Amino acid sequence: ANVANGRVEKVAADISQLRAAARQIASYLKDNHKKAFAHEGILRLSGNQNDRIRLYNEITQSPEKTQLPALDKSIDAVLVAALFKEVYRDMNLFGSTEELKMAFEQIAEGLQGLDKEKQKQEIITSLQALIDKLGPEEKEDLRAYLEILVLVQQQESTNLMGFKNLAIVAGPNLMIDKETSLEEQVQKTPMINN
């Protein structure tokens, strides 16, 4: 791994490497979900950046050879969960943030003047149309991501990660592309979570 000023640098990975890593991590988290998601604030915390990037580099370059932590300690569970989010963010399933912003603005315009029930139906229909634009592999990637979120939510009594908290931490990872600066991410997060 590249190290600059004591910080581990990310090695670039293409979509096939990211997809293989995401599937490896998702499978591991599913198999170990009781240990992985029992910790308060799981998916909100990111763990040690150098450790996470080192593991990111290892799993994106050779996922089949990467040994993930045993998850016996909270620090390991936080690290693997943060790695999962980071790999998915870098996959950029929905394309550019600007395209998504336009889609969400169109949805918002279509909701004006509708009662709550019709708004809910319009949102569901619009989101389904957005998902329908994904290719088969991207749909499978999204399904795997959502399965993990459901497993996290099922342990809400211990991890305090209900649907609202999951939307806050998971939405931006799916819908903000990896090229977006930290400042832009902070600005765009409310638009995605609303």
Side-chain angles (χ1 to χ4, degrees):
N2 298 337
V3 180
N5 298 326
R7 291 184 60 188
V8 178
E9 300 287 326
K10 252 190 200 183
V11 174
D14 66 27
I15 188 63
S16 64
Q17 292 171 305
L18 291 167
R19 185 168 280 129
R23 290 182 178 163
Q24 179 83 0
I25 299 165
S27 174
Y28 183 75
L29 288 171
K30 282 183 206 173
D31 291 347
N32 296 284
H33 68 92
K34 290 198 188 302
K35 279 189 199 177
F37 305 134
H39 308 283
E40 185 176 333
I42 198 72
L43 291 176
R44 276 196 327 242
L45 307 171
S46 60
N48 178 283
Q49 183 176 358
N50 281 343
D51 290 345
R52 189 179 70 255
I53 293 172
R54 195 173 288 113
L55 191 53
Y56 176 99
N57 290 341
E58 188 178 329
I59 200 161
T60 58
Q61 301 308 306
S62 56
E64 65 286 339
K65 295 180 184 174
T66 301
Q67 183 72 31
L68 292 167
L71 306 177
D72 293 327
K73 298 178 278 186
S74 137
I75 193 167
D76 293 336
V78 164
L79 177 67
V80 175
L83 175 66
F84 177 74
K85 283 188 342 184
E86 188 158 354
V87 167
Y88 265 89
R89 186 191 69 235
D90 288 355
M91 287 171 65
N92 198 17
L93 292 179
F94 288 98
S96 84
T97 305
E98 287 308 311
E99 291 171 37
L100 275 172
K101 182 179 179 187
M102 288 176 23
F104 284 123
E105 285 172 352
Q106 288 174 343
I107 292 170
E109 285 175 22
L111 297 177
Q112 293 176 0
L114 298 178
D115 65 37
K116 289 269 188 205
E117 190 56 38
K118 287 183 181 175
Q119 284 183 355
K120 183 178 174 183
Q121 280 307 116
E122 182 63 29
I123 290 169
I124 291 169
T125 301
S126 298
L127 290 176
Q128 185 60 54
L130 191 61
I131 291 168
D132 288 344
K133 291 180 182 179
L134 296 175
E137 285 192 309
E138 288 81 9
K139 285 180 183 175
E140 178 60 26
D141 296 332
L142 179 60
R143 185 193 60 73
Y145 189 78
L146 295 174
E147 283 178 356
I148 294 299
L149 297 183
V150 167
L151 290 172
V152 172
Q153 189 280 326
Q154 288 174 350
Q155 294 190 54
E156 179 182 8
S157 62
T158 55
N159 65 28
L160 306 178
M161 294 301 289
F163 290 120
K164 188 172 185 171
N165 284 339
L166 285 170
I168 290 168
V169 299
N173 283 301
L174 279 181
M175 300 185 176
I176 293 178
D177 59 70
K178 65 182 176 181
E179 303 305 323
T180 305
S181 72
L182 184 58
E183 184 178 331
E184 288 176 296
Q185 287 179 32
V186 170
Q187 290 172 348
K188 291 176 180 180
T189 296
M191 179 266 301
I192 289 168
N193 286 331
N194 293 327

